[in-house]
Amino acid sequence: MSNDPSPPEPEAEDEYGDEEQPRETSEGVSQQLADEAATDAAGTDEGPTDAASEPADDGATGEDGADSTPDIPPEVQKYARFKKMDGAEYDRVNEFLRDRTYITAREWAIARLCADFRTETGVEMTKIGNNLPYLVPFMTDTYTPQAVNQARSAFEEKIRKAGATFLYGAMSGFFTAEELDDVMYEVTEVAKFLLEVEGVDLAVAEELAAEDKISSVMREVRESSEELRHDEMECPHCGHEIGGEK
């Protein structure tokens, strides 16, 4: 029986270490993602109902009758994201994410909730933690505010590290322009799929426009990196002229 990880100190289980993760080619990525997501959502068809789906069922019942869920705030009952993941198990969602990203299902869900439940005075971490099983179908445990903050911080740190890794690869000259286009296509497909799972409706025209913008920006990044690697420039940190005498 699969459950989401306990809130206290879960970070040790989230690290990859030096293990090389499997990569996919860009061919057929979108269809493969859709097929695997459908399998994840239908995971309970293979056997008895898993505990990971029970909180979502209870939450859905609460939306129909206020008396059955008297302690759930109205905004929690109306929260519409992640509905496409009804019936999915935490372990399957987590495996899906970790095959394609550096974030876990816990970090993904809580980061999204922190963005959605942000007010002028900050993030409503207590509300998120207390109602986590009702907000996200594949989460089964409540979290303390500290655990919510920990997951959000882990998400932000991994995004920064992944961003630095990607930009270094794009700027280093390791990839040809065509290879970089393939990488951009693959990661864009994964990102769009996760947005769609969250409930964002992406029109075809909007998708194409976004892809064109991303491609344009990456071409500029590549051109600028050529200048950075071959022209004499001043280091932004120490002031030393790159390519010149010390």
Side-chain angles (χ1 to χ4, degrees), residues 15-34:
E15 300 299 328
Y16 283 114
D18 297 327
E19 180 182 357
E20 183 178 355
Q21 297 302 306
R23 297 297 304 276
E24 300 177 30
T25 61
S26 59
E27 182 179 0
V29 170
S30 181
Q31 184 61 45
Q32 185 175 2
L33 291 176

Side-chain angles (χ1 to χ4, degrees), residues 121-158:
T121 58
V123 178
E124 298 178 290
M125 294 189 181
T126 299
K127 180 181 292 184
I128 292 172
N130 289 344
N131 298 283
L132 190 56
Y134 296 101
L135 292 164
V136 183
F138 52 82
M139 302 294 287
T140 62
D141 293 333
T142 58
Y143 275 33
T144 65
Q146 293 78 8
V148 171
N149 185 56
Q150 181 186 47
R152 182 185 65 165
S153 297
F155 174 87
E156 293 174 352
E157 180 179 2
K158 289 182 179 181

Side-chain angles (χ1 to χ4, degrees), residues 40 55 67 69 101 105 116 119 131 144 163 188 193 208 215-216 227:
D40 290 345
D67 293 338
T69 54
T101 73
D116 289 345
T119 67
N131 298 283
T144 65
T188 300
F193 179 79
L208 295 177
S215 297
S216 176
E227 299 176 1

Side-chain angles (χ1 to χ4, degrees), residues 14-134:
D14 295 342
E15 300 299 328
Y16 283 114
D18 297 327
E19 180 182 357
E20 183 178 355
Q21 297 302 306
R23 297 297 304 276
E24 300 177 30
T25 61
S26 59
E27 182 179 0
V29 170
S30 181
Q31 184 61 45
Q32 185 175 2
L33 291 176
D35 292 343
E36 292 194 21
T39 301
D40 290 345
T44 53
D45 292 340
E46 299 175 0
T49 301
D50 188 88
S53 64
E54 293 175 2
D57 294 336
D58 293 339
T61 303
E63 295 178 9
D64 296 333
D67 293 338
S68 60
T69 54
D71 298 329
I72 301 179
E75 59 270 32
V76 172
Q77 296 185 39
K78 296 177 181 179
Y79 192 72
R81 295 195 192 272
F82 299 107
K83 297 303 181 184
K84 294 182 179 180
M85 302 300 290
D86 283 349
E89 301 174 1
Y90 178 89
D91 288 345
R92 296 177 69 100
V93 177
N94 199 49
E95 180 182 1
F96 179 87
L97 277 174
R98 296 193 64 169
D99 281 346
R100 298 163 178 83
T101 73
Y102 283 117
I103 58 175
T104 65
R106 175 181 67 92
E107 293 160 353
W108 172 42
I110 289 180
R112 179 72 267 167
L113 293 172
C114 286
D116 289 345
F117 284 86
R118 178 180 294 277
T119 67
E120 294 181 356
T121 58
V123 178
E124 298 178 290
M125 294 189 181
T126 299
K127 180 181 292 184
I128 292 172
N130 289 344
N131 298 283
L132 190 56
Y134 296 101

